[in-house]
Amino acid sequence: MKGTQTSTRNTGAATGAAEEQADGFTDEERDAIKQRAQELRAAGRRGPRAAKPDPEVEVLAKIAEMEDADRVLAERLHAVIRAAAPDLSPKLWYGMPAYAEAGKVLCFFQSAQKFKTRYATLGFSDPARLDEGTMWPTSYALTKLTPADETLIAELIKKAIG
């Protein structure tokens, strides 16, 4: 039995929101996908004996490029994560700071400014061992970080590592 597929791409002269809906991705999401593709290409171009750039330097450089509010959050979050779990490897993931265990991204920061959202987020991916019952959060909205928030984040990072 043959299935039929139709393209959702808008073939008219529409632009902006109509085009974003037709493609399914916003401009910011497309940019993040392109950045991830560049990250993968760069990793593939480096041979096994080639000198690899320091991923922490790359993450800190990306954080330094952020606008003030996101930069302050990302800097504090980076310090909290590195202190709580020094064995996690910082890396860029979709152009954003992320922290990996055994090569798999455990948690990541998403800038509010980059994605034009109300707040930045700290997200956890599948390898994070945060399972609790049948439902648990995998993303946290961040507007500022208090000392209590930092303590909670450090505890979440430690729990995620298991």
Side-chain angles (χ1 to χ4, degrees), residues 49-129:
R49 290 185 272 162
K52 295 181 181 168
D54 183 351
E56 184 142 19
V57 170
E58 291 179 321
V59 166
L60 291 173
K62 184 57 79 172
I63 290 171
E65 293 173 6
M66 295 178 185
E67 289 187 9
D68 290 346
D70 286 337
R71 183 180 40 75
V72 168
L73 283 172
E75 287 171 347
R76 284 303 310 139
L77 194 60
H78 179 79
V80 168
I81 292 170
R82 297 298 286 149
D87 290 340
L88 289 182
S89 304
K91 66 185 284 179
L92 291 179
W93 192 55
Y94 292 94
M96 291 281 105
Y99 303 86
E101 179 183 45
K104 294 184 178 186
V105 171
L106 185 78
C107 62
F108 53 91
F109 175 79
Q110 282 187 334
S111 158
Q113 179 268 325
K114 179 179 176 92
F115 293 99
K116 297 179 182 165
T117 58
R118 193 172 116 209
Y119 44 78
T121 58
L122 167 64
F124 291 89
S125 57
D126 288 353
R129 296 171 192 91

Side-chain angles (χ1 to χ4, degrees), residues 80 84 146-158:
V80 168
T146 66
D149 297 331
E150 292 177 5
T151 300
L152 177 60
I153 289 169
E155 291 170 3
L156 281 169
I157 296 296
K158 290 174 184 175

Side-chain angles (χ1 to χ4, degrees), residues 129-146:
R129 296 171 192 91
L130 297 176
D131 307 33
E132 194 169 300
T134 58
M135 185 172 84
W136 57 91
T138 59
S139 183
Y140 294 84
L142 304 173
T143 56
K144 68 178 189 172
L145 291 177
T146 66

